[in-house]
């Protein structure tokens, strides 16, 4: 490529490579997400018109850490391992509190999958006189269990003087996330419903079968979502 042409593409290439210093990888979320930076909230994208009223968010086990930052030492990995259960519990409790009945939150069922992963962390040094600054950076996304469509995407970093202070910020962040998701649905303007895109029923049924086989969906949830998918395909 000629140097002049490369200069034209440079801003796009730079933006794609350096979101949050390279810790935010858009590929994990898919092409639908167009992130914007939110003060004190990190980066986020919410599907326009998203309404979660009467839906159920299912908290999924998180993916293995991606470690997108610099090479981390054993203590950093131990820090993440120690928080594994707390990240799921805090997310479930915080979302339930923030949604305030707009939608349900469950660990066993739901038509909206809440998926997450840690992308970087810096834990305490056990032999340091002071704990020092600790950080944990993570991704979250909401995915429609039937269609597989991305509904919302979030990227955030917790920072504190020591692990306890950093993680103490997690619950309030999750609760605020629930409130913002509830508000997103609350401001949806009524109006004529847009035509639904044709649903690929065969592909959707295959996806639901895979989720049931992997233990993501219970038999009851599988049957309910299968019925819903058939109704959508029939235009009901």
């Amino acid at each position: 490529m000629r140097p002049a042409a490369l200069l034209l593409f440079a801003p796009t290439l730079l933006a794609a490579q350096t979101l949050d210093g390279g810790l935010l990888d858009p590929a994990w979320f898919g092409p639908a997400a167009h992130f914007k930076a939110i003060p004190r909230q990190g980066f986020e994208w919410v599907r326009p018109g998203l309404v979660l009223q009467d839906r159920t968010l299912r908290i999924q086990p998180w993916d293995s850490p991606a470690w997108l930052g610099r090479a981390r030492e054993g203590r950093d990995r131990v820090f993440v391992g120690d928080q594994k259960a707390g990240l799921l519990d805090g997310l479930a409790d915080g979302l339930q509190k923030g949604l305030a009945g707009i939608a349900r939150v469950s660990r066993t069922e739901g038509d909206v999958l809440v998926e997450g992963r840690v992308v970087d962390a810096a834990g305490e040094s056990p032999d340091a006189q002071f704990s020092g600054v600790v950080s944990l950076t993570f991704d979250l996304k909401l995915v429609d269990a039937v269609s597989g469509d991305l509904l919302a995407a979030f990227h955030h970093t917790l920072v504190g003087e020591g692990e306890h202070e950093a993680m103490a910020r997690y619950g309030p962040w999750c609760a605020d996330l629930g409130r913002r998701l509830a508000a997103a649905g609350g401001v949806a303007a009524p109006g004529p419903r847009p035509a639904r895109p044709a649903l690929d029923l065969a592909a959707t049924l295959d996806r639901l079968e895979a989720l049931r086989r992997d233990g993501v969906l219970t038999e009851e949830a599988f049957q309910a979502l299968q019925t819903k998918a058939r109704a959508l395909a029939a235009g009901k």
Side-chain angles (χ1 to χ4, degrees):
M1 182 179 292
R2 296 172 59 185
L6 183 60
L7 288 175
L8 295 176
F9 286 97
T12 300
L13 292 172
L14 185 61
Q17 293 171 358
T18 60
L19 286 173
D20 195 17
L23 294 182
L24 200 173
D25 179 10
W28 189 75
F29 298 93
H34 299 283
F35 286 98
K36 61 179 179 179
I38 307 296
R40 297 182 299 280
Q41 297 296 339
F43 294 80
E44 72 173 48
W45 172 85
V46 177
R47 183 175 179 175
L50 174 64
V51 177
L52 295 178
Q53 179 76 43
D54 298 327
R55 302 191 71 173
T56 300
L57 281 60
R58 174 170 179 166
I59 308 298
Q60 298 287 86
W62 282 22
D63 292 355
S64 298
W67 301 112
L68 299 182
R70 63 175 176 81
R72 291 299 185 181
E73 300 178 5
R75 71 171 186 270
D76 306 317
R77 298 170 185 269
V78 170
F79 168 42
V80 172
D82 289 344
Q83 304 305 323
K84 185 176 181 180
L87 288 169
L88 295 177
D89 293 341
L91 180 59
D93 293 344
L95 285 177
Q96 187 72 68
K97 179 179 179 180
L99 287 166
I102 294 295
R104 293 180 57 241
V105 178
S106 172
R107 300 287 290 272
T108 59
E109 61 181 1
D111 58 339
V112 176
L113 306 180
V114 183
E115 304 174 6
R117 67 173 186 172
V118 171
V119 297
D120 188 46
E124 293 181 7
S125 177
D127 57 355
Q129 183 177 1
F130 301 100
S131 298
V133 176
V134 167
S135 67
L136 186 142
T137 302
F138 59 92
D139 294 332
L140 282 178
K141 61 184 175 183
L142 275 60
V143 179
D144 188 289
V146 174
S147 67
D149 291 341
L150 182 69
L151 303 179
F154 306 92
H155 173 87
H156 186 65
T157 297
L158 303 169
V159 179
E161 288 290 336
E163 294 175 3
H164 179 77
E165 181 177 307
M167 297 312 300
R169 304 180 189 277
Y170 180 64
W173 183 86
C174 293
D176 187 64
L177 174 60
R179 286 188 287 270
R180 289 186 288 122
L181 287 171
V187 300
R193 297 177 62 182
R196 290 181 177 272
L199 177 68
D200 187 336
L201 181 60
T204 299
L205 294 178
D206 286 345
R207 173 178 170 79
L208 292 176
E209 179 62 41
L211 291 172
R212 178 176 66 167
R213 185 172 58 250
D214 293 341
V216 173
L217 295 178
T218 63
E219 181 63 31
E220 181 180 0
F222 168 75
Q223 294 295 339
L225 291 174
Q226 188 181 59
T227 300
K228 180 178 178 181
R230 294 186 186 279
L232 289 173
K236 298 179 180 178

